[in-house]
Amino acid sequence: MSRTSPVELRFPFPGPGGKRPVSASGGSQPRWHRDGKELFFLAPDNTLMAAEVSGRGEMFEVVTIRTLFKTRAAGPGYQYDVTADGQQYLINTMVDRKLYTPITLVQNWTAGLKE
């Protein structure tokens, strides 16, 4: 699934049926919430989204889509995962080393006080 294509269900959930569009603006890496009532995905700008869905029998409806937060997700394979309760996220992120300064650790500094 490319980043420019609409997010679609690749496999019916639950039961038989075809693909159903979730996002017209595109996205990737869809993940189901454990209860099957919410679908997480990355928008093309790397924003993590949550789509509340409702399905009964052959009917499938996207109730609402919420923006959760902007990520810096990067790397191969799935770049994020969601906990079973849908409240915490693990995101593979590339870190810009320019943002961090080194830490200097001075050991035995009290010895210098006695002189």
Side-chain angles (χ1 to χ4, degrees), residues 1-10 22-32 39-51 71 73-82:
M1 186 178 298
S2 71
R3 290 211 172 254
T4 58
S5 66
V7 173
E8 293 182 347
L9 302 180
R10 290 185 178 190
V22 175
S23 167
S25 61
S28 64
Q29 303 185 27
R31 300 283 234 195
W32 280 109
L39 183 68
F40 301 97
F41 64 94
L42 283 175
D45 66 352
N46 264 355
T47 299
L48 189 61
M49 309 293 285
T71 74
Y78 269 92
Q79 298 166 356
Y80 74 97
D81 204 356
V82 182

Side-chain angles (χ1 to χ4, degrees), residues 13-75:
F13 182 83
K19 293 181 179 181
R20 303 286 195 265
V22 175
S23 167
S25 61
S28 64
Q29 303 185 27
R31 300 283 234 195
W32 280 109
H33 187 286
R34 176 184 259 177
D35 65 9
K37 296 178 182 177
E38 195 167 33
L39 183 68
F40 301 97
F41 64 94
L42 283 175
D45 66 352
N46 264 355
T47 299
L48 189 61
M49 309 293 285
E52 181 185 347
V53 297
S54 173
R56 287 185 211 104
E58 299 243 350
M59 294 189 57
F60 178 82
E61 176 185 17
V62 177
V63 179
T64 59
I65 296 180
R66 310 181 277 129
T67 299
L68 297 179
F69 52 87
K70 180 85 169 149
T71 74
R72 292 180 19 206

